[in-house]
Amino acid sequence: MPNDRPMVREAVGVFGDADSLQAAIDELQSAGFGRVDLNLMAGEDAVREKLGHIYRRVEDAEDDPEAPRADYIAPESRGDAEGGLIGALSYIGAVAAAGAVFASGGTLAAAIAGATAIGATGALVGTVLAGMLDLNHARYIQTQLDHGGLLLWVHIRDRAHEQQATDILRRHSAKDVHVHDIEA
């Protein structure tokens, strides 16, 4: 019985460090590839959950259509999330403290002092949580490197994009650069 599932063509490359990967992604995006065209290997927990095992080597996942993928998230977006986390916890704490002081009949000075103290505590908690996000990302990168490298898949629309993507991957020191077709 013929396979009726649609096929997707993609370029694949494995990077030995995060800086080379990021440089390749930056150039791919400058060349017109969107974030939706870029996928990375999902974290170990997602791989284990979907497949029941983890890959010992990244090469085992390169051409596996079942390999769980993660959408590319730009460093700027992670920074925005961290800033939002810090700001939100600071703001919520400050407003809640000021409201509680006013509701209990406190003075404006007490409300300001309470808002400042609780707001600073909220900012501190937000900073710790933002640091945890950074640590989680660093662990993800290190785990991928421990398994042989950072795997990047690039969705290809046509032959011109295929050549452009593979050239960019090679220019940024990706190894085992190739193109394949997989089921969508």
Side-chain angles (χ1 to χ4, degrees), residues 38-57:
L38 308 173
N39 290 118
L40 302 168
M41 173 69 89
E44 271 192 349
D45 291 340
V47 172
R48 188 176 292 116
E49 182 178 318
K50 181 174 182 181
L51 301 178
H53 66 85
I54 59 171
Y55 293 101
R56 294 199 186 279
R57 298 173 332 131

Side-chain angles (χ1 to χ4, degrees), residues 11-92:
V12 181
V14 179
F15 293 86
D17 64 88
D19 291 338
S20 297
L21 171 69
Q22 188 60 54
I25 288 172
D26 290 344
E27 187 174 345
L28 286 163
Q29 289 185 311
S30 292
F33 291 88
R35 286 185 188 176
V36 298
D37 296 323
L38 308 173
N39 290 118
L40 302 168
M41 173 69 89
E44 271 192 349
D45 291 340
V47 172
R48 188 176 292 116
E49 182 178 318
K50 181 174 182 181
L51 301 178
H53 66 85
I54 59 171
Y55 293 101
R56 294 199 186 279
R57 298 173 332 131
V58 71
E59 292 85 6
D60 298 336
E62 290 177 6
D63 299 314
D64 184 351
E66 299 299 317
R69 297 161 183 230
D71 294 330
Y72 168 69
I73 300 172
E76 299 83 17
S77 296
R78 284 193 309 276
D80 291 347
E82 291 168 1
L85 188 58
I86 294 167
L89 289 176
S90 176
Y91 177 78
I92 291 169

